[in-house]
Amino acid sequence: MTAQHGTATGTRRRSETSRRAILTAAFELVGEVGYAKLSIEGIAARAGVGKQTIYRWWPSKGAVLFDAFLMLSEGEDDSAALPDTGDLEADLKAVLRATVAELNDPRYDEPMRALSTEILHDPALAAAYAERLDGPMKELKKQRLRSAQRAGQLSGDLDLDVAIEMLWGPLLNRWLQRSGPLTPEYADTVVETALHGLRPR
């Protein structure tokens, strides 16, 4: 290894260490002080870096927070696919129950609400969210529904985008608006209603 190569490797390692420290600090701070009081200066102080380091990599505190969420999901690709046991209803109930648990986790509640709010006001952040997080997650959900279509458990001409919105939308809506208890039982009811319809059987 040449001295120059070693220096470059060391610089990359330090940059990655700083990046993770910044993202961890942002996630911790937003849970402690709330998004309104979260600042680049505060993140920099917690992470032990200069604020110019943060501005060099991110345009806003919302962008920092979004990358913090992505960091949390790094390394989970192997388990990212939705369960496919052959029992669509049971699989969807398991996934929606896990979603309920995540939404109810106090470590994630404030950061996720902050990110949701920021996406409404920042078109660039909304585009990044759609491309890097929401889009890939929707594709995983579609893969599970396509498997159910092949098994004859769902209509072949089902609009998969609408189906996903019908399944996950009620949970996110109830969480965002705090309009009712977000429980495993509610998740089960959402799945049963979506799969079996509103009409009398």
Side-chain angles (χ1 to χ4, degrees), residues 85-137:
T85 65
D87 184 336
L88 177 64
E89 184 168 328
D91 290 347
L92 288 175
K93 285 180 177 179
V95 173
L96 264 67
R97 279 174 170 250
T99 303
V100 163
E102 185 175 286
L103 292 172
N104 282 329
D105 188 330
R107 293 174 301 165
Y108 296 111
D109 185 72
E110 178 63 32
M112 286 192 295
R113 289 185 186 279
L115 186 60
S116 298
T117 301
E118 197 67 8
I119 284 170
L120 294 176
H121 302 289
D122 186 338
L125 185 61
Y129 174 78
E131 178 185 349
R132 298 170 62 196
L133 190 59
D134 192 46
M137 283 305 304

Side-chain angles (χ1 to χ4, degrees), residues 12 19 47 64 68 88 90 102 127 136 138 151 187:
R12 278 197 299 272
R19 186 184 80 90
V64 178
L88 177 64
E102 185 175 286
K138 277 185 178 175

Side-chain angles (χ1 to χ4, degrees), residues 8-127:
T9 302
T11 300
R12 278 197 299 272
R13 192 178 295 120
R14 283 192 298 275
S15 291
E16 179 61 17
T17 300
S18 294
R19 186 184 80 90
R20 297 186 77 85
I22 290 164
L23 297 178
T24 300
F27 193 82
E28 291 175 351
L29 273 175
V30 76
E32 294 170 14
V33 305
Y35 188 71
K37 294 182 180 177
L38 182 70
S39 67
I40 296 295
E41 290 78 6
I43 296 170
R46 172 71 64 96
V49 302
K51 64 181 181 180
Q52 287 308 317
T53 300
I54 299 179
Y55 281 120
R56 189 163 65 243
W57 290 335
W58 293 280
S60 66
K61 65 180 185 179
V64 178
L65 188 58
F66 174 53
D67 273 4
F69 271 100
L70 290 179
M71 182 183 73
L72 291 176
S73 64
E74 284 175 3
E76 296 179 2
D77 293 344
D78 292 341
S79 60
L82 270 62
D84 191 348
T85 65
D87 184 336
L88 177 64
E89 184 168 328
D91 290 347
L92 288 175
K93 285 180 177 179
V95 173
L96 264 67
R97 279 174 170 250
T99 303
V100 163
E102 185 175 286
L103 292 172
N104 282 329
D105 188 330
R107 293 174 301 165
Y108 296 111
D109 185 72
E110 178 63 32
M112 286 192 295
R113 289 185 186 279
L115 186 60
S116 298
T117 301
E118 197 67 8
I119 284 170
L120 294 176
H121 302 289
D122 186 338
L125 185 61

